Amino acid sequence: MRFQLTEDQRALRAGVRELLARRFGPQELRAAAQEPGRLDRVLWRELGTAGFFALRLPEARGGVGLGLPEAVLAFEEAGRALLPGPLVATHLAAGEVPGAATGETVVTDAGGCGLAEWLTEADVVRGDAAGAVPLRSVDPLTPLHRVPVASYVDPAAVLLTAAEQLGSATRACELAAQHARTREQFGRPIGAFQAVKHLCAEMLVRTETARAAVYAAAVTADPADIDTARLLADAAAVRGARDCLQVHGGMGFTWEFEVHLHLKRAWVRTHRTKDATESEERLAAELLADSA
């Protein structure tokens, strides 16, 4: 089966990328990292006006009327830009929580694996946040609280998080390739050296493998496919950011570059939804059942 994007889907992806490049480019990203815990409400409403949160809401209810594949493309671009905020929770609340679809209301989810993002900035908290304890987040763009009771996780949340991871992995691959072409050592671009070539090639393979899994899961919405997409996208994002740091060397850890922010966000996203071990065990059980 081939998963080719339609012209409308490509236009949607390009539109989201253009909006984020204009409103949340490198300068805005660095500024947000310097002000942890502050959510840009103006940008949030602009996302709502653009239909980001209402993509899957039926047109009869004021939404865009698209499906899960289109939402995955939009969230992939959000991950590529490192857009902060409880995007997944607000998107899933569109049509249920007044103002979520338009970006007037910020919604977060107190559940998942016992972590809640942007708890103090949210207007509406879904789930039980009683006894929440603030944590020192490794990602300056994602304030966290520990909540005592984990709750049900919507499979769509798992897939949309995987889409964000895919976007981050794609951006890390782009940054590594760009740096390898322009940075010189011993009179040659570092991309000419075999070790760097292998790092970049492995990043690309992991990213494209994850892309195929995420896009397939968006079409099938099968729980096993979503688990597969989640595991491959997590690996592509975390390992890709680590390899990108390796390509950049010490300068990758500086605030001047966004590489370290991709790694930190990828770490946080791996804990946003259900534990990875659950996904691995479900996939193992399914494979054993199919072979029986």
Side-chain angles (χ1 to χ4, degrees), residues 15-287:
V16 175
R17 181 173 297 190
E18 181 182 353
L19 170 63
L20 296 181
R22 175 168 43 84
R23 284 293 283 110
F24 197 74
Q27 290 184 346
E28 289 79 10
L29 174 61
R30 284 193 291 270
Q34 298 288 347
E35 298 183 71
R38 187 185 72 83
L39 190 65
D40 187 343
R41 295 284 181 141
V42 176
L43 174 56
W44 205 258
R45 288 190 291 271
E46 287 187 33
L47 291 171
T49 301
F52 186 91
F53 301 117
L55 272 175
R56 296 192 300 140
L57 198 63
E59 293 183 49
R61 299 174 61 190
V64 183
L66 298 177
L68 193 55
E70 289 75 24
V72 159
L73 294 176
F75 274 83
E76 181 183 348
E77 291 303 315
R80 183 179 181 275
L82 281 176
L83 186 64
L87 298 164
V88 172
T90 302
H91 174 87
L92 294 178
E96 298 178 11
V97 176
T102 61
E104 296 294 328
T105 303
V106 177
V107 182
T108 194
D109 183 19
C113 287
L115 292 177
E117 300 179 357
W118 295 91
L119 195 59
T120 58
E121 284 284 318
D123 303 309
V124 174
V125 179
R126 305 178 83 184
D128 186 7
V133 177
L135 298 176
R136 183 177 180 181
S137 176
V138 67
D139 177 16
L141 295 167
T142 310
L144 295 173
H145 280 72
R146 173 74 67 185
V147 292
V149 180
S151 62
Y152 166 78
V153 177
D154 188 332
V158 179
L159 182 57
L160 294 177
T161 298
E164 288 184 288
Q165 293 282 60
L166 172 60
S168 191
T170 301
R171 180 59 177 160
C173 192
E174 293 171 353
L175 291 170
Q178 180 182 4
H179 188 72
R181 287 193 297 266
T182 57
R183 176 68 171 175
E184 292 189 0
Q185 287 288 344
F186 309 109
R188 302 169 63 190
I190 62 173
F193 299 111
Q194 189 177 51
V196 177
K197 285 181 181 179
H198 284 181
L199 281 176
C200 292
E202 289 167 0
M203 290 172 64
L204 180 61
V205 169
R206 285 194 298 266
T207 298
E208 292 307 313
T209 301
R211 188 185 312 282
V214 171
Y215 286 6
V219 173
T220 68
D222 181 79
D225 290 343
I226 291 176
D227 283 332
T228 301
R230 180 262 172 96
L231 293 171
L232 289 173
D234 279 353
V238 174
R239 294 186 61 185
R242 290 174 61 184
D243 287 349
C244 186
L245 275 171
Q246 182 71 19
V247 172
H248 278 75
M251 68 173 62
F253 290 93
T254 66
W255 286 104
E256 184 179 353
F257 293 86
E258 64 186 79
V259 181
H260 66 102
L261 294 174
H262 280 281
L263 178 58
K264 293 170 181 177
R265 181 70 64 83
W267 279 334
V268 170
R269 288 198 199 104
T270 61
H271 297 286
R272 175 187 291 167
T273 55
K274 51 195 172 185
D275 187 73
T277 303
E278 295 181 28
S279 296
E280 293 167 344
E281 289 178 348
R282 273 191 300 272
L283 283 175
E286 181 136 344
L287 289 172

Side-chain angles (χ1 to χ4, degrees), residues 1-13:
M1 184 179 296
R2 299 183 65 187
F3 298 98
Q4 296 290 334
L5 299 184
T6 66
E7 184 177 343
D8 288 341
Q9 288 172 334
R10 288 194 294 269
L12 170 66
R13 182 172 63 182

